[in-house]
Amino acid sequence: MTQTENTPDAGQHDLHSQTVTPDASTEAAPAAPQRTVCERILDILAFQPLIPLTILLALQTVFMLDARALWYSDEVRYANVFEHVVNAGKWIVLHLNGVPYPDKPPVYFWLLEGIRQAMQAAGIAGDAPQGIGPRLFFSGAAVSALFYIWATYALARRVAAADKRTALGAGLVLLSVFYFIGVSHYSRMDLLFAALITLSHICLFTGWKKEKSTFWVVCGFAFAALATLTKGPLGLAFPLVTSVLFLLWRGKPRRLAGADVAAGAGVMLFILLAWVMGAYLTEQPDFLYNIFHDQIYRRATHTWHHSQPWWHYMATLPAAWMPWTLLLPVLPFGFLLSKKGARAVAASRTPEKEGMAYLWIAFLSGFAILSAVSIKIIIYLLPLFAPLAVLTAGGILSLSRARAKWLMRLMALLLLALAAALVTLQLGQMFGWEWLTKAVRWPLALEGLWILAAVSAAGAAIMWVAAPAAGGAGALLLAVLFTTVWIQPLGLITAPSMDNVMSPRMQGELIGSYIEKGYTPVTYKVYSGTYTFYAGADLLELDEWADVDAAVSAHRKTVVAMRTKHWDTWENKPADMREVSRQWIVDQEYVVAVRETSSPDQTEVPAQTEVPAKSGQTGEHADLPQIQPPRRFSFPLPMPPTVRQHSNQP
């Protein structure tokens, strides 16, 4: 018998080890490695992969649906937007603080309404009025995460042609990425947006494999349109650019001229134009100008906020993809750079390998699009997580035992560093280290840090000890086990302890209590919608000192909120204005003050003049002589101040 060579880097092992009895003339070939316990567990879970993925996500989210308040700035704003959907029927054009809100389309809020109805029918809506409370919004985040995980599994199966084991691995990768788990606990539309884009990829790829496939191509364009109506035009850009580049790579650009493509484009335009027409009939042309010029064109070319250099995502993606960024140092780059690697790339043009080519094109083209756009926020990377998860899972499960060992050792060191950072935070709180407070830029009052540090240290120890024998399957299972355990104290203890810094609830409810007593609420240069949800009423949001002075003078009782730096420099501050609250919200301190006089000041209030409507303020909202809030409280606002255009600019 000829001795065979064991090639661990290939990462392929026989299902059963073989025993060879040597004789006098030959030596036994090395037996294939025994399948580890982790590999056998992964095989069992892969029998019905969607069930364990769903259970794991439920374990990571369901116990924390009521654990904390809504945070600044997106959560509290979107909560108020949804209130307008339910209470004022703003289903087509969203409203924030009583005026049109052009920043976001409505599909995510339609999903929230479906969840609200389902929760009320099941009797689990909670104590919030009409079921509109944190439980609803965090359920929306969890359901969106579940859709995305299912879509990622389908992407692995239908596009990459992966087996159930690898497709399960892709879901486990997402469930163990720290950033993904964090987003699944934050109320935004990005996860639903990414799920719809992933479904569009699946349908379009399935259609492109055939000479004509009206059903799949139309579904792909329809999902792209729905993604666009969830967050914006990147919902079209990601799948369509990927499709064009993929067909060029396959040498089939004429496929784009097919009748099914025309039908898909027609359905897509019908869906988008139906919403545009609804917005036009609901509001005025200025609202559409704001959407197409300010929200789309300016954000893409010259944004007024979150502008970053082109290489921004090169620096942030490695952090966002932890812990699996640590896979890079252990990959066999020698193979990738060899002639065999070049032949493997060339083979991706064949029908058998074209799915992997599509995933790489989807990831790289999406990354290029995001890098070219002026506005850059790390959460915009979420649509790229699905193809990256499939590629990452394949890489992990193909590792040799030796390479998997080094991966797990690196992960153990990462968890050890996390434990050390948590201990440092705890000690900094105990001893009042000033340098630490300045570094985090808000007061430290975190709870549960010792527990998080202990879990991190225990995870590091288990990873280190299990590394020699666990393999790639063990790395996946131990990573998702760690995140599932670690998120419990984080979500139940630490996150709620951050409410006094991250949530405007305290000051918002204080303002609401004064509104109930007849005070007129006024804010100055506060991010629109910051207080509205918890105040229980729409506020008069102003950007000019003259308007603030006029509003305070015109009302007998006023409650005013602004940043401390503005409070300290308010030149015409009334002497009888009384400060009632100071609170840090993220990295700024805010003041709430009240004033009550026997009668309004005898200063002359400027006569109402025509105030030119800003983009996003149309119809009766242009002058705003009076706001009619569709909320629990209402109050007269007879002033004609300039109300700030809704945007993401503080």
Side-chain angles (χ1 to χ4, degrees), residues 134-363:
R135 180 180 299 183
L136 168 65
F137 299 113
F138 297 140
S139 296
V143 169
S144 299
L146 182 62
F147 287 167
Y148 193 28
I149 290 171
W150 286 354
T152 301
Y153 175 83
L155 185 75
R157 295 286 284 161
R158 295 198 62 91
V159 177
D163 57 20
K164 287 186 176 181
R165 194 167 178 267
T166 304
L168 169 65
L172 295 178
V173 165
L174 288 181
L175 286 169
S176 53
V177 168
F178 302 151
Y179 186 76
F180 181 86
I181 296 304
V183 174
S184 69
H185 289 264
Y186 196 82
S187 181
R188 281 183 63 111
M189 65 283 301
D190 297 82
L191 283 170
L192 177 64
F193 177 66
L196 291 170
I197 289 173
T198 303
L199 292 174
S200 179
H201 280 310
I202 295 168
C203 294
L204 290 175
F205 173 80
T206 305
W208 302 143
K209 291 176 65 176
K210 305 176 182 180
E211 291 301 321
K212 182 180 179 181
S213 182
T214 302
F215 174 78
W216 288 108
V217 172
V218 168
C219 287
F221 276 93
F223 279 124
L226 289 175
T228 301
L229 293 182
T230 300
K231 187 171 174 65
L234 287 177
L236 292 178
F238 285 133
L240 298 188
V241 171
T242 298
S243 294
V244 171
L245 294 177
F246 172 72
L247 291 174
L248 289 173
W249 173 254
R250 292 284 287 116
K252 296 182 178 180
R254 293 183 179 180
R255 182 69 180 80
L256 294 169
D260 54 349
V261 177
V267 170
M268 178 188 70
L269 289 174
F270 175 80
I271 294 172
L272 296 176
L273 290 177
W275 179 78
V276 170
M277 181 59 66
Y280 178 82
L281 295 175
T282 303
E283 300 298 330
Q284 292 185 4
D286 282 349
F287 179 80
L288 294 179
Y289 175 82
N290 183 295
I291 292 175
F292 289 104
H293 182 265
D294 294 343
Q295 304 301 325
I296 297 177
Y297 171 74
R298 283 190 61 201
R299 286 193 179 200
T301 60
H302 189 64
T303 185
W304 60 87
H305 73 135
H306 295 300
S307 179
Q308 299 290 345
W310 65 270
W311 48 263
H312 175 73
Y313 291 119
M314 293 183 181
T316 54
L317 178 58
W321 198 240
M322 283 294 181
W324 299 117
T325 304
L326 301 176
L327 177 64
L328 288 175
V330 302
L331 286 176
F333 284 104
F335 168 78
L336 298 176
L337 300 176
S338 66
K339 291 183 179 179
K340 290 183 179 180
R343 287 196 294 268
V345 173
S348 66
R349 300 187 68 182
T350 64
E352 296 78 15
K353 302 291 186 181
E354 61 186 1
M356 295 302 294
Y358 188 93
L359 292 183
W360 276 109
I361 292 171
F363 173 74

Side-chain angles (χ1 to χ4, degrees), residues 63-69 134-135 138 491-493 495-497 499:
F63 302 116
M64 286 146 273
L65 297 181
D66 274 330
R68 66 172 177 85
R135 180 180 299 183
F138 297 140
L492 294 172
I493 302 174
S497 72
D499 280 354

Side-chain angles (χ1 to χ4, degrees), residues 494-566:
T494 306
S497 72
M498 298 170 65
D499 280 354
N500 288 339
V501 174
M502 297 297 296
S503 175
R505 176 180 178 177
M506 182 177 67
Q507 287 191 338
E509 291 182 345
L510 177 64
I511 292 171
S513 69
Y514 279 101
I515 293 173
E516 287 186 301
K517 298 174 184 177
Y519 284 72
T520 297
V522 177
T523 69
Y524 174 69
K525 287 191 175 181
V526 172
Y527 207 179
S528 185
T530 294
Y531 294 117
T532 311
F533 177 76
Y534 280 118
D538 297 324
L539 281 66
L540 197 58
E541 298 177 336
L542 308 175
D543 275 342
E544 301 294 335
W545 279 123
D547 294 329
V548 175
D549 295 337
V552 171
S553 298
H555 297 87
R556 190 174 67 84
K557 297 193 293 186
T558 53
V559 53
V560 180
M562 64 184 67
R563 298 177 189 179
T564 301
K565 64 180 182 181
H566 295 140

